[in-house]
Amino acid sequence: MLLHANCNILFHDLQKFHRDLPPTPVFAYGTSKRTATIPGPTIEALHGVDTYITWENNLPKKHILPWDPTIPTAIPQDHQGVPTVVHLHGGIDEPESDGHGHAWFTKGFKDRGPRWTKNMYHYHNQQQPGNMWYHDHAMGLTRANLLAGLIGSYVIRQPQVEDPLKLPSGNEFDRVLVVCDRDFYRNGSLYMNTTGNNPNIHPQWQPEYFGNVIVVNGKAWPYMVVQRRKYRFRIINTSNARFFRFYLSNDLPFIHIGSDSAYLDRPTTSKTKLVAPSEISDVVIDFSKSKSSVAVLANDAAYPFPSGDPVNDVNSKVMKFIIKDHHVNGPSHVPKTLVKYPSPNLSTALKTRYIAMYEYTSPSDEPTHLFINDLSFDAPATEFPKVGSSEVWYIINLTEDNHPLHVHFGLFKALEQTKLLDFDKFQDCMVKKNNAEKCNVHKHARGKKKPVPRHERGWKNVYKMKPGYMTKIYVRFSYIHSNVSYPFDATKEPGYVYHCHILDHEDNVMMRPFKLVN
């Protein structure tokens, strides 16, 4: 088998986000200090061709952003250096290369976390073609390290599967859009609140970070000149906590062809698209249908979502498309069928699990921390799925926020969301017993059913868990495109995790380990 070697390095560098801002000190990925950027280089892999990456840490001795040692955090023994570890979000790979939060390391691998195993990560690229992204995953520092700039995209291509679809292709017409929100000081440096919402408990930690400046591919509110033809956009929401409900100002629809790291079985259209932190939306936009010469990609999602503040004139704008006048030849259609993967077979599920999301507050009703199943991250694993198996998980959201649940390694389909009736009674029981079955969850989960949107019915690795609802998902711990076995031992240490992908929640500590078994 051919091997594709690569080496990415982490730097402390400067980046110009906007012409009216001074250069910003950032952390960035790159193969050299000269080429390091935010986002980092897009890594393009071929299905079946392995990628080896040595992630080297060249970050400074101290962080450029505030961090809070009162939450579970990666802290070097000598308190020197910024810990980091890289997670390939959506990757189906060996545990040693998954980027466990305790597998962190400092500059020159001088200090290493308790779950660190090796320098060089091995990505097998045996999974279905699709979109992923890589980012820092250091325990307790994820929100600060991503905010500082440690994000980048990763695409697996499989020409024999994708070329017959004749979708827009090439560097000009097939584009990755890495979207996030940031705030800045006048001197150009990144702004992050230095005071926690409960400073007597957590001096710095805040339950969510929101910035008013919307950044796309490292530029604030950029524009792109496009032809009157179809373009493919792989949109990745890399924000800490902001949901985007995208729409186009000229009323053009999104043609959805993929969600997260897998193609849909057939395209579907909509005028809006809600994308949670860490979700990837793969869409085609046909600018030949525009009646105007300008289209603004805009956002109207409240923050926090769904019951927070409405967007304003600044953070409601994402980027601008300037549409040329003349029409050009391009792909004339999006195919009626894309890539068909097996549908869930509930009769084959080996296990049913109940996963409850809790938020804990201070006497002043301010959040202090968040748990899954009333357990912190460092409590022993309670989920042991079998390699090659499928399971049904019921995700019970006992909080007021929408939590994007990300499952490392596994792919899943969202089946239905059901409102919990007599919610206060059920919540009180769960706080006391932490047992959904003993609290008669199915007697409460009899309210309004929220259908899964057509463009979200494919195989995903993130789904939005609606507050006050129980969400049923079918999780698969095997490939979806073939029956071949993994080319690695998925049962090895340090195992995998699942967590809320609001980074401030993940850090404190809405994340749990799970271990695969044979």
Side-chain angles (χ1 to χ4, degrees):
M1 178 177 288
L2 295 174
L3 301 179
H4 176 207
N6 203 344
C7 178
N8 279 28
I9 307 174
L10 313 165
F11 282 102
H12 177 209
D13 209 346
L14 295 173
Q15 174 139 334
K16 188 84 168 172
F17 284 91
H18 192 275
R19 65 185 180 189
D20 296 332
L21 270 178
T24 301
V26 296
F27 295 164
Y29 291 117
T31 55
S32 69
K33 188 167 185 177
R34 182 179 59 83
T35 61
T37 56
I38 300 176
T42 294
I43 299 172
E44 295 200 1
L46 281 174
H47 175 83
V49 179
D50 299 54
T51 302
Y52 292 88
I53 300 181
T54 299
W55 300 100
E56 297 182 3
N57 184 339
N58 285 307
L59 297 175
K61 290 183 178 181
K62 294 184 178 180
H63 213 292
I64 59 174
L65 293 172
W67 58 278
D68 194 328
T70 65
I71 64 176
T73 303
I75 301 177
Q77 290 184 359
D78 61 1
H79 293 263
Q80 295 293 313
V82 178
T84 187
V85 63
V86 180
H87 168 56
L88 179 56
H89 180 110
I92 300 177
D93 288 296
E94 60 186 25
E96 310 98 303
S97 298
D98 189 59
H100 191 282
H102 286 316
W104 53 267
F105 54 96
T106 58
K107 187 173 183 177
F109 302 98
K110 180 182 178 182
D111 203 353
R112 300 182 293 272
R115 298 299 186 93
W116 182 90
T117 55
K118 61 182 186 178
N119 297 15
M120 183 180 289
Y121 277 20
H122 182 185
Y123 303 119
H124 294 79
N125 303 320
Q126 294 284 353
Q127 65 198 76
Q128 74 289 339
N131 308 302
M132 297 182 284
W133 62 294
Y134 57 94
H135 61 79
D136 175 82
H137 212 267
M139 193 70 209
L141 294 172
T142 304
R143 69 198 190 287
N145 285 350
L146 266 71
L147 190 62
L150 296 183
I151 53 179
S153 59
Y154 190 112
V155 178
I156 295 181
R157 298 187 184 276
Q158 191 173 7
Q160 61 268 40
V161 171
E162 298 179 280
D163 287 355
L165 303 178
K166 298 188 183 301
L167 293 165
S169 61
N171 292 337
E172 184 176 357
F173 306 115
D174 180 357
R175 308 291 287 267
V176 175
L177 300 181
V178 179
V179 184
C180 57
D181 59 336
R182 297 289 186 267
D183 266 337
F184 300 88
Y185 289 101
R186 290 184 181 274
N187 66 1
S189 60
L190 290 163
Y191 171 80
M192 187 177 184
N193 199 322
T194 59
T195 304
N197 63 314
N198 279 302
N200 294 330
I201 301 172
H202 299 305
Q204 187 279 326
W205 180 81
Q206 290 271 351
E208 288 98 11
Y209 172 92
F210 297 107
N212 282 305
V213 179
I214 308 302
V215 176
V216 182
N217 290 355
K219 297 297 180 183
W221 302 296
Y223 70 88
M224 176 181 173
V225 179
V226 296
Q227 300 177 22
R228 288 187 175 270
R229 55 156 290 164
K230 292 182 177 68
Y231 283 72
R232 178 177 183 173
F233 295 105
R234 306 165 189 256
I235 306 173
I236 310 172
N237 181 1
T238 64
S239 301
N240 284 33
R242 184 181 291 277
F243 286 65
F244 289 96
R245 186 160 48 212
F246 293 116
Y247 66 95
L248 288 160
S249 63
N250 63 349
D251 212 34
L252 284 179
F254 301 108
I255 306 170
H256 304 277
I257 60 172
S259 186
D260 292 336
S261 58
Y263 279 97
L264 299 173
D265 58 356
R266 59 176 61 89
T268 182
T269 61
S270 69
K271 292 292 183 71
T272 64
K273 168 60 176 170
L274 181 66
V275 184
S278 85
E279 276 193 303
I280 302 176
S281 184
D282 198 339
V283 300
V284 171
I285 299 175
D286 187 355
F287 292 104
S288 70
K289 304 294 186 182
S290 178
K291 296 179 181 179
S292 64
S293 60
V294 170
V296 174
L297 181 63
N299 161 52
D300 67 359
Y303 60 103
F305 188 84
S307 57
D309 296 328
V311 294
N312 55 42
D313 189 55
V314 176
N315 57 39
S316 64
K317 295 179 176 65
V318 178
M319 67 176 292
K320 180 190 292 186
F321 296 106
I322 299 173
I323 307 167
K324 292 182 177 180
D325 290 336
H326 61 283
H327 289 255
V328 297
N329 291 326
S332 59
H333 71 285
V334 173
K336 292 182 180 180
T337 59
L338 293 163
V339 183
K340 179 86 172 165
Y341 295 119
S343 298
N345 182 354
L346 297 183
S347 66
T348 65
L350 292 187
K351 186 80 174 179
T352 297
R353 302 186 191 274
Y354 295 90
I355 310 293
M357 296 176 155
Y358 292 84
E359 180 179 80
Y360 304 87
T361 60
S362 65
S364 62
D365 204 32
E366 283 288 325
T368 58
H369 60 289
L370 302 98
F371 280 174
I372 294 176
N373 283 348
D374 200 30
L375 293 169
S376 183
F377 175 64
D378 287 326
T382 52
E383 287 82 42
F384 298 90
K386 186 176 180 180
V387 172
S389 71
S390 298
E391 299 186 347
V392 171
W393 290 13
Y394 289 98
I395 316 299
I396 301 163
N397 188 348
L398 300 173
T399 80
E400 296 180 354
D401 291 332
N402 190 312
H403 298 285
L405 181 73
H406 172 47
V407 179
H408 287 214
F409 187 75
L411 288 171
F412 61 85
K413 279 199 175 189
L415 303 179
E416 62 183 21
Q417 292 190 299
T418 308
K419 186 174 179 61
L420 295 163
L421 301 180
D422 297 322
F423 179 76
D424 290 343
K425 180 180 178 181
F426 176 70
Q427 186 182 47
D428 288 343
C429 181
M430 288 294 289
V431 169
K432 294 174 183 176
K433 297 182 179 180
N434 186 35
N435 188 305
E437 291 177 290
K438 289 183 178 179
C439 290
N440 299 311
V441 62
H442 288 285
K443 289 185 178 180
H444 292 275
R446 293 185 297 140
K448 179 181 179 181
K449 289 190 180 295
K450 180 177 173 61
V452 177
R454 178 67 186 84
H455 55 266
E456 304 240 27
R457 294 179 190 172
W459 289 96
K460 295 177 60 62
N461 55 62
V462 181
Y463 195 70
K464 299 169 281 287
M465 301 301 158
K466 191 175 174 65
Y469 277 69
M470 183 172 74
T471 303
K472 183 180 181 180
I473 65 175
Y474 178 87
V475 192
R476 185 163 169 170
F477 298 100
S478 61
Y479 292 127
I480 60 171
H481 68 291
S482 73
N483 292 321
V484 301
S485 301
Y486 298 129
F488 52 85
D489 185 354
T491 68
K492 293 180 71 175
E493 295 292 339
Y496 302 96
V497 302
Y498 63 96
H499 58 87
C500 171
H501 219 291
I502 292 176
L503 302 182
D504 316 274
H505 297 178
E506 171 187 345
D507 277 353
N508 190 26
V509 190
M510 209 175 205
M511 178 164 62
R512 289 287 296 143
F514 69 90
K515 301 286 185 65
L516 286 165
V517 297
N518 287 317

